[in-house]
Amino acid sequence: KCTFCTYPFYGYSRMRNETIIKHLDDIVARFDPDIVFFDDAEFFLQKQDTLELLNIFETRYRFKCITTSRAQYYRKDYISKDFMQRFSPRWIIWDVGAESGNQSRLYEINKGITIQDLKIVADYAGEVGVRAAFSFMVAMPGETEQEMLNTVFLLENLKQRARGNIFITYQYFQPIGPTIMAKRAESFGF
């Protein structure tokens, strides 16, 4: 897990599809939402479960979806261009936690992705014509000005690759909980 993530400390388990559908049926009956945001960094973790769920969404609901996914899932055998094309009428934003434009930082925070993974997500979004979202952290402990500039340069590159179909968010690093990065931040006087 990422060294800034609090999930390992609070536990995580994916709901069964039947439970998700039960909750969604209730939400739709009560609120009839236009958009549902799945605040779940592991939504696409189990490919077969996810495909089953998405197939149900296609026939059962009219709402559009947003969720976070891991950049390393964007590959020919999982979230491919064909996959994105098929589900693009339903999925309005394909959100990825990018965190940094520096490979050394991604290794340091144990992100499990590469800069190339991020470029693939942007390429897919540009080719399919869907919106990709990337979230970045700035002001990580020890981050240099050049590293921050490298992130800005990557953002520009992703924007070009996605052909403008991009949404970018920045969050300042926040030392939360008993994470490795929070302990590192203390050593920098955060």
Side-chain angles (χ1 to χ4, degrees), residues 34-45:
D34 294 323
I35 298 171
V36 173
F37 173 61
F38 294 93
D39 189 10
D40 182 353
E42 300 290 1
F43 185 83
F44 289 96
L45 178 65

Side-chain angles (χ1 to χ4, degrees), residues 3-183:
T3 59
F4 63 87
C5 185
T6 57
Y7 283 168
F9 300 100
Y10 303 113
Y12 174 84
S13 63
R14 186 182 187 280
M15 283 186 200
R16 295 180 44 209
N17 284 351
E18 297 80 19
T19 305
I20 294 170
I21 295 300
K22 180 182 173 195
H23 287 297
L24 286 173
D25 284 347
D26 180 55
I27 290 166
V28 167
R30 293 170 61 193
F31 305 107
D32 191 27
D34 294 323
I35 298 171
V36 173
F37 173 61
F38 294 93
D39 189 10
D40 182 353
E42 300 290 1
F43 185 83
F44 289 96
L45 178 65
Q46 298 168 333
K47 183 178 179 179
Q48 278 312 118
D49 286 346
T50 302
L51 286 172
E52 177 185 305
L53 192 60
L54 295 179
N55 287 328
I56 293 169
F57 284 8
E58 281 187 313
T59 59
R60 192 171 187 136
Y61 303 116
R62 67 165 197 82
F63 59 74
K64 297 195 180 291
C65 303
I66 300 171
T67 192
T68 302
S69 55
R70 296 187 177 272
Q72 64 266 43
Y73 295 164
Y74 292 78
R75 57 184 195 258
K76 291 180 181 176
D77 66 331
Y78 193 8
I79 303 179
S80 63
K81 286 182 276 189
D82 291 340
F83 184 102
M84 289 179 85
Q85 185 71 49
R86 177 178 172 199
F87 294 108
S88 65
R90 171 81 50 193
W91 238 256
I92 58 172
I93 297 179
W94 299 79
D95 187 19
V96 172
E99 316 319 342
S100 177
N102 296 276
Q103 191 61 58
S104 60
R105 284 278 162 192
L106 295 174
Y107 289 139
E108 181 183 332
I109 64 174
N110 199 31
K111 186 66 182 167
I113 64 172
T114 65
I115 298 297
Q116 185 59 36
D117 292 331
L118 300 173
K119 291 176 179 179
I120 289 170
V121 175
D123 288 343
Y124 283 10
E127 291 173 34
V128 175
V130 297
R131 183 159 298 221
F134 296 90
S135 60
F136 287 87
M137 279 193 299
V138 294
M140 286 188 262
E143 187 173 37
T144 67
E145 184 176 336
Q146 184 59 54
E147 288 175 321
M148 289 182 214
L149 286 172
N150 290 346
T151 297
V152 171
F153 297 145
L154 176 64
L155 297 176
E156 289 300 318
N157 182 269
L158 295 175
K159 183 178 178 182
Q160 289 174 354
R161 294 173 97 92
R163 302 177 190 168
N165 294 315
I166 196 165
F167 182 76
I168 296 172
T169 61
Y170 303 85
Q171 297 89 30
Y172 285 103
F173 167 75
Q174 300 174 38
I176 299 173
T179 65
I180 293 169
M181 284 294 286
K183 291 176 184 169

